[in-house]
Short mmCIF file of all heavy atoms in Angstrom, two decimals:
data_model
loop_
_atom_site.label_atom_id
_atom_site.label_comp_id
_atom_site.label_asym_id
_atom_site.label_seq_id
_atom_site.Cartn_x
_atom_site.Cartn_y
_atom_site.Cartn_z
N ALA A 192 42.68 -68.01 -25.16
CA ALA A 192 43.03 -68.69 -26.46
C ALA A 192 41.86 -68.57 -27.33
O ALA A 192 40.71 -68.30 -26.93
CB ALA A 192 43.49 -70.11 -26.14
N ALA A 193 42.03 -68.96 -28.62
CA ALA A 193 40.91 -68.88 -29.53
C ALA A 193 41.04 -70.01 -30.60
O ALA A 193 42.20 -70.29 -31.10
CB ALA A 193 40.86 -67.60 -30.26
N THR A 194 39.98 -70.68 -30.92
CA THR A 194 39.94 -71.64 -32.00
C THR A 194 39.45 -70.87 -33.28
O THR A 194 38.35 -70.32 -33.25
CB THR A 194 38.90 -72.78 -31.67
OG1 THR A 194 39.48 -73.53 -30.60
CG2 THR A 194 38.79 -73.70 -32.83
N MET A 195 40.26 -70.86 -34.30
CA MET A 195 39.94 -70.07 -35.45
C MET A 195 40.18 -70.89 -36.74
O MET A 195 41.24 -71.53 -36.87
CB MET A 195 40.82 -68.78 -35.51
CG MET A 195 40.32 -67.78 -34.43
SD MET A 195 41.25 -66.26 -34.63
CE MET A 195 42.76 -66.51 -33.80
N PRO A 196 39.29 -70.71 -37.70
CA PRO A 196 39.50 -71.25 -38.98
C PRO A 196 40.10 -70.34 -39.88
O PRO A 196 40.32 -69.15 -39.52
CB PRO A 196 38.02 -71.56 -39.58
CG PRO A 196 37.27 -70.46 -39.01
CD PRO A 196 37.94 -70.09 -37.61
N GLU A 197 40.64 -70.73 -41.09
CA GLU A 197 41.12 -69.79 -42.08
C GLU A 197 39.93 -69.01 -42.64
O GLU A 197 38.85 -69.57 -42.77
CB GLU A 197 41.93 -70.59 -43.11
CG GLU A 197 43.19 -71.15 -42.74
CD GLU A 197 44.40 -70.18 -42.53
OE1 GLU A 197 44.00 -68.94 -42.27
OE2 GLU A 197 45.45 -70.51 -42.61
N PRO A 198 40.23 -67.79 -43.04
CA PRO A 198 41.46 -67.09 -43.09
C PRO A 198 41.77 -66.32 -41.78
O PRO A 198 42.84 -65.72 -41.63
CB PRO A 198 41.21 -65.92 -44.19
CG PRO A 198 39.81 -65.69 -43.97
CD PRO A 198 39.04 -67.03 -43.71
N PHE A 199 40.85 -66.51 -40.80
CA PHE A 199 41.15 -65.70 -39.50
C PHE A 199 42.33 -66.22 -38.76
O PHE A 199 43.06 -65.53 -38.06
CB PHE A 199 39.85 -65.93 -38.64
CG PHE A 199 38.61 -65.38 -39.31
CD1 PHE A 199 37.73 -66.30 -39.91
CD2 PHE A 199 38.29 -64.05 -39.54
CE1 PHE A 199 36.57 -65.89 -40.62
CE2 PHE A 199 37.25 -63.62 -40.17
CZ PHE A 199 36.38 -64.41 -40.76
N ALA A 200 42.75 -67.50 -38.99
CA ALA A 200 43.90 -68.16 -38.36
C ALA A 200 45.15 -67.31 -38.88
O ALA A 200 45.95 -66.87 -38.05
CB ALA A 200 43.98 -69.48 -38.68
N SER A 201 45.33 -67.26 -40.08
CA SER A 201 46.44 -66.56 -40.70
C SER A 201 46.47 -65.09 -40.39
O SER A 201 47.53 -64.46 -40.20
CB SER A 201 46.45 -66.75 -42.26
OG SER A 201 46.82 -68.13 -42.61
N LEU A 202 45.24 -64.37 -40.44
CA LEU A 202 45.22 -63.04 -40.08
C LEU A 202 45.69 -62.87 -38.69
O LEU A 202 46.45 -61.88 -38.38
CB LEU A 202 43.66 -62.56 -40.18
CG LEU A 202 43.10 -62.25 -41.43
CD1 LEU A 202 41.62 -62.11 -41.54
CD2 LEU A 202 43.78 -61.06 -42.03
N ALA A 203 45.27 -63.65 -37.69
CA ALA A 203 45.73 -63.52 -36.21
C ALA A 203 47.20 -63.73 -36.20
O ALA A 203 47.86 -63.00 -35.44
CB ALA A 203 44.90 -64.47 -35.35
N GLU A 204 47.66 -64.63 -36.87
CA GLU A 204 49.15 -64.95 -36.77
C GLU A 204 49.98 -63.87 -37.38
O GLU A 204 50.96 -63.52 -36.79
CB GLU A 204 49.34 -66.40 -37.55
CG GLU A 204 50.83 -66.93 -37.23
CD GLU A 204 50.76 -68.43 -37.75
OE1 GLU A 204 49.88 -68.82 -38.45
OE2 GLU A 204 51.76 -69.10 -37.32
N GLN A 205 49.61 -63.47 -38.60
CA GLN A 205 50.43 -62.49 -39.25
C GLN A 205 50.29 -61.03 -38.76
O GLN A 205 51.26 -60.30 -38.72
CB GLN A 205 50.23 -62.51 -40.77
CG GLN A 205 50.60 -63.83 -41.32
CD GLN A 205 51.12 -63.68 -42.89
OE1 GLN A 205 51.08 -62.58 -43.36
NE2 GLN A 205 51.62 -64.74 -43.41
N GLN A 206 49.01 -60.54 -38.45
CA GLN A 206 48.77 -59.24 -38.11
C GLN A 206 48.85 -58.98 -36.69
O GLN A 206 49.06 -57.85 -36.26
CB GLN A 206 47.36 -58.81 -38.68
CG GLN A 206 47.36 -58.82 -40.21
CD GLN A 206 46.00 -58.33 -40.74
OE1 GLN A 206 45.04 -58.12 -40.05
NE2 GLN A 206 45.92 -58.20 -42.06
N LEU A 207 48.48 -59.94 -35.81
CA LEU A 207 48.46 -59.75 -34.38
C LEU A 207 49.55 -60.44 -33.69
O LEU A 207 49.67 -60.27 -32.47
CB LEU A 207 47.05 -60.23 -33.81
CG LEU A 207 45.85 -59.63 -34.50
CD1 LEU A 207 44.61 -60.20 -33.74
CD2 LEU A 207 45.87 -58.10 -34.29
N GLY A 208 50.28 -61.32 -34.33
CA GLY A 208 51.36 -62.08 -33.67
C GLY A 208 50.89 -63.18 -32.83
O GLY A 208 51.57 -63.70 -31.95
N ALA A 209 49.69 -63.77 -33.18
CA ALA A 209 49.17 -64.93 -32.30
C ALA A 209 50.01 -66.18 -32.71
O ALA A 209 50.65 -66.27 -33.68
CB ALA A 209 47.75 -65.12 -32.76
N VAL A 210 50.11 -66.98 -31.66
CA VAL A 210 50.95 -68.21 -31.61
C VAL A 210 50.11 -69.48 -31.68
O VAL A 210 49.22 -69.64 -30.79
CB VAL A 210 51.95 -68.21 -30.56
CG1 VAL A 210 52.80 -69.46 -30.52
CG2 VAL A 210 52.80 -66.93 -30.43
N PRO A 211 50.24 -70.36 -32.64
CA PRO A 211 49.51 -71.59 -32.65
C PRO A 211 49.91 -72.64 -31.58
O PRO A 211 51.26 -72.72 -31.42
CB PRO A 211 49.73 -72.07 -34.05
CG PRO A 211 51.04 -71.62 -34.44
CD PRO A 211 51.16 -70.23 -33.82
N ILE A 212 49.05 -73.20 -30.89
CA ILE A 212 49.48 -74.22 -29.86
C ILE A 212 48.85 -75.65 -30.20
O ILE A 212 49.38 -76.64 -29.63
CB ILE A 212 49.13 -73.83 -28.45
CG1 ILE A 212 47.57 -73.67 -28.25
CG2 ILE A 212 49.82 -72.58 -27.96
CD1 ILE A 212 47.16 -73.54 -26.84
N ALA A 213 47.93 -75.61 -31.08
CA ALA A 213 47.40 -76.97 -31.55
C ALA A 213 46.67 -76.83 -32.83
O ALA A 213 45.89 -75.89 -33.07
CB ALA A 213 46.46 -77.50 -30.42
N ASP A 214 46.89 -77.89 -33.61
CA ASP A 214 46.06 -78.09 -34.81
C ASP A 214 45.00 -79.04 -34.54
O ASP A 214 45.17 -80.02 -33.89
CB ASP A 214 47.05 -78.68 -36.00
CG ASP A 214 46.33 -78.47 -37.41
OD1 ASP A 214 45.23 -78.98 -37.49
OD2 ASP A 214 46.91 -77.90 -38.31
N LEU A 215 43.79 -78.69 -34.94
CA LEU A 215 42.58 -79.58 -34.59
C LEU A 215 42.39 -80.70 -35.51
O LEU A 215 41.61 -81.51 -35.24
CB LEU A 215 41.42 -78.65 -34.43
CG LEU A 215 41.42 -77.53 -33.41
CD1 LEU A 215 40.07 -76.80 -33.41
CD2 LEU A 215 41.85 -78.06 -32.01
N ASN A 216 43.18 -80.79 -36.50
CA ASN A 216 43.03 -81.92 -37.47
C ASN A 216 43.88 -83.13 -36.93
O ASN A 216 44.90 -83.45 -37.42
CB ASN A 216 43.54 -81.47 -38.82
CG ASN A 216 43.30 -82.53 -39.93
OD1 ASN A 216 42.14 -83.05 -39.94
ND2 ASN A 216 44.27 -82.88 -40.68
N GLN A 217 43.26 -83.72 -35.87
CA GLN A 217 43.91 -84.82 -35.26
C GLN A 217 42.97 -85.73 -34.55
O GLN A 217 41.82 -85.36 -34.21
CB GLN A 217 45.01 -84.38 -34.22
CG GLN A 217 44.45 -83.53 -33.09
CD GLN A 217 45.54 -83.09 -32.11
OE1 GLN A 217 45.89 -83.95 -31.32
NE2 GLN A 217 46.01 -81.80 -32.19
N GLY A 218 43.33 -87.00 -34.25
CA GLY A 218 42.53 -87.81 -33.40
C GLY A 218 41.19 -88.18 -34.09
O GLY A 218 41.01 -88.49 -35.27
N ALA A 219 40.16 -88.09 -33.27
CA ALA A 219 38.76 -88.50 -33.70
C ALA A 219 38.21 -87.59 -34.76
O ALA A 219 37.27 -87.91 -35.40
CB ALA A 219 37.90 -88.61 -32.47
N THR A 220 38.77 -86.38 -34.84
CA THR A 220 38.27 -85.33 -35.81
C THR A 220 39.13 -85.09 -36.89
O THR A 220 39.11 -84.05 -37.64
CB THR A 220 37.95 -84.02 -35.02
OG1 THR A 220 39.10 -83.66 -34.38
CG2 THR A 220 36.76 -84.25 -34.09
N GLN A 221 40.12 -85.98 -37.23
CA GLN A 221 41.05 -85.80 -38.35
C GLN A 221 40.28 -86.00 -39.69
O GLN A 221 39.31 -86.77 -39.73
CB GLN A 221 42.12 -86.86 -38.31
CG GLN A 221 43.19 -86.59 -39.34
CD GLN A 221 44.40 -87.53 -39.18
OE1 GLN A 221 44.34 -88.52 -38.59
NE2 GLN A 221 45.50 -87.11 -39.78
N ASN A 222 40.46 -85.03 -40.53
CA ASN A 222 39.73 -85.01 -41.89
C ASN A 222 38.20 -85.00 -41.63
O ASN A 222 37.36 -85.73 -42.25
CB ASN A 222 40.13 -86.30 -42.69
CG ASN A 222 41.54 -86.35 -43.04
OD1 ASN A 222 42.25 -85.40 -43.29
ND2 ASN A 222 42.05 -87.57 -43.05
N PHE A 223 37.79 -84.11 -40.63
CA PHE A 223 36.45 -84.10 -40.24
C PHE A 223 35.53 -83.19 -41.07
O PHE A 223 36.09 -82.06 -41.62
CB PHE A 223 36.36 -83.47 -38.78
CG PHE A 223 35.27 -83.90 -37.99
CD1 PHE A 223 35.06 -85.23 -37.62
CD2 PHE A 223 34.45 -82.96 -37.50
CE1 PHE A 223 33.99 -85.53 -36.79
CE2 PHE A 223 33.42 -83.28 -36.72
CZ PHE A 223 33.12 -84.64 -36.36
N PRO A 224 34.36 -83.58 -41.36
CA PRO A 224 33.43 -82.71 -42.12
C PRO A 224 33.03 -81.50 -41.39
O PRO A 224 32.63 -81.71 -40.18
CB PRO A 224 32.24 -83.60 -42.54
CG PRO A 224 32.19 -84.62 -41.37
CD PRO A 224 33.79 -84.79 -41.10
N ILE A 225 33.13 -80.35 -41.92
CA ILE A 225 32.92 -79.14 -41.11
C ILE A 225 31.60 -78.37 -41.43
O ILE A 225 30.87 -78.10 -40.56
CB ILE A 225 34.12 -78.14 -41.25
CG1 ILE A 225 35.44 -78.80 -40.83
CG2 ILE A 225 33.80 -76.83 -40.49
CD1 ILE A 225 35.49 -79.12 -39.43
N GLU A 226 31.45 -78.13 -42.75
CA GLU A 226 30.34 -77.37 -43.07
C GLU A 226 29.49 -77.85 -44.25
O GLU A 226 30.06 -78.61 -45.04
CB GLU A 226 30.95 -75.91 -43.57
CG GLU A 226 29.91 -74.96 -43.90
CD GLU A 226 30.50 -73.54 -44.32
OE1 GLU A 226 31.19 -72.95 -43.47
OE2 GLU A 226 30.46 -73.16 -45.51
N GLY A 227 28.17 -77.55 -44.27
CA GLY A 227 27.40 -78.00 -45.36
C GLY A 227 26.38 -76.86 -45.70
O GLY A 227 26.28 -75.81 -44.97
N TYR A 228 25.67 -77.00 -46.81
CA TYR A 228 24.66 -75.94 -47.17
C TYR A 228 23.27 -76.57 -46.96
O TYR A 228 23.00 -77.72 -47.21
CB TYR A 228 24.93 -75.69 -48.67
CG TYR A 228 26.24 -74.94 -48.96
CD1 TYR A 228 27.29 -75.73 -49.33
CD2 TYR A 228 26.34 -73.55 -48.72
CE1 TYR A 228 28.48 -75.08 -49.53
CE2 TYR A 228 27.68 -72.93 -48.94
CZ TYR A 228 28.67 -73.68 -49.27
OH TYR A 228 29.78 -72.97 -49.48
N VAL A 229 22.36 -75.72 -46.46
CA VAL A 229 21.13 -76.20 -45.83
C VAL A 229 20.02 -75.31 -46.29
O VAL A 229 20.15 -74.02 -46.48
CB VAL A 229 21.23 -76.19 -44.27
CG1 VAL A 229 19.93 -76.32 -43.65
CG2 VAL A 229 22.13 -77.33 -43.86
N VAL A 230 18.83 -75.93 -46.54
CA VAL A 230 17.56 -75.25 -46.84
C VAL A 230 16.52 -75.83 -45.77
O VAL A 230 16.84 -76.78 -45.10
CB VAL A 230 17.11 -75.40 -48.17
CG1 VAL A 230 18.12 -74.80 -49.25
CG2 VAL A 230 16.77 -76.81 -48.51
N THR A 231 15.45 -75.14 -45.66
CA THR A 231 14.34 -75.85 -44.90
C THR A 231 13.63 -76.69 -45.96
O THR A 231 13.60 -76.48 -47.19
CB THR A 231 13.32 -74.84 -44.41
OG1 THR A 231 12.64 -74.12 -45.51
CG2 THR A 231 13.98 -73.74 -43.49
N LYS A 232 13.09 -77.79 -45.33
CA LYS A 232 12.39 -78.76 -46.31
C LYS A 232 11.33 -78.03 -47.05
O LYS A 232 11.04 -78.43 -48.28
CB LYS A 232 11.96 -79.91 -45.41
CG LYS A 232 12.91 -80.75 -44.80
CD LYS A 232 12.31 -81.90 -43.97
CE LYS A 232 13.47 -82.74 -43.22
NZ LYS A 232 14.32 -83.45 -44.20
N GLN A 233 10.53 -77.14 -46.48
CA GLN A 233 9.52 -76.46 -47.12
C GLN A 233 9.99 -75.68 -48.35
O GLN A 233 9.47 -75.62 -49.41
CB GLN A 233 8.73 -75.55 -46.22
CG GLN A 233 7.54 -74.82 -46.84
CD GLN A 233 6.91 -73.92 -45.87
OE1 GLN A 233 7.35 -73.47 -44.82
NE2 GLN A 233 5.60 -73.54 -46.21
#
Side-chain angles (χ1 to χ4, degrees):
T194 294
M195 287 184 281
E197 291 285 26
F199 304 100
S201 289
L202 282 167
E204 193 168 15
Q205 293 214 358
Q206 296 184 354
L207 304 179
V210 179
I212 61 170
D214 193 303
L215 300 184
N216 187 46
Q217 59 175 285
T220 54
Q221 188 171 19
N222 301 323
F223 207 60
I225 301 296
E226 182 179 295
Y228 295 95
V229 166
V230 299
T231 65
K232 294 181 184 293
Q233 181 181 20

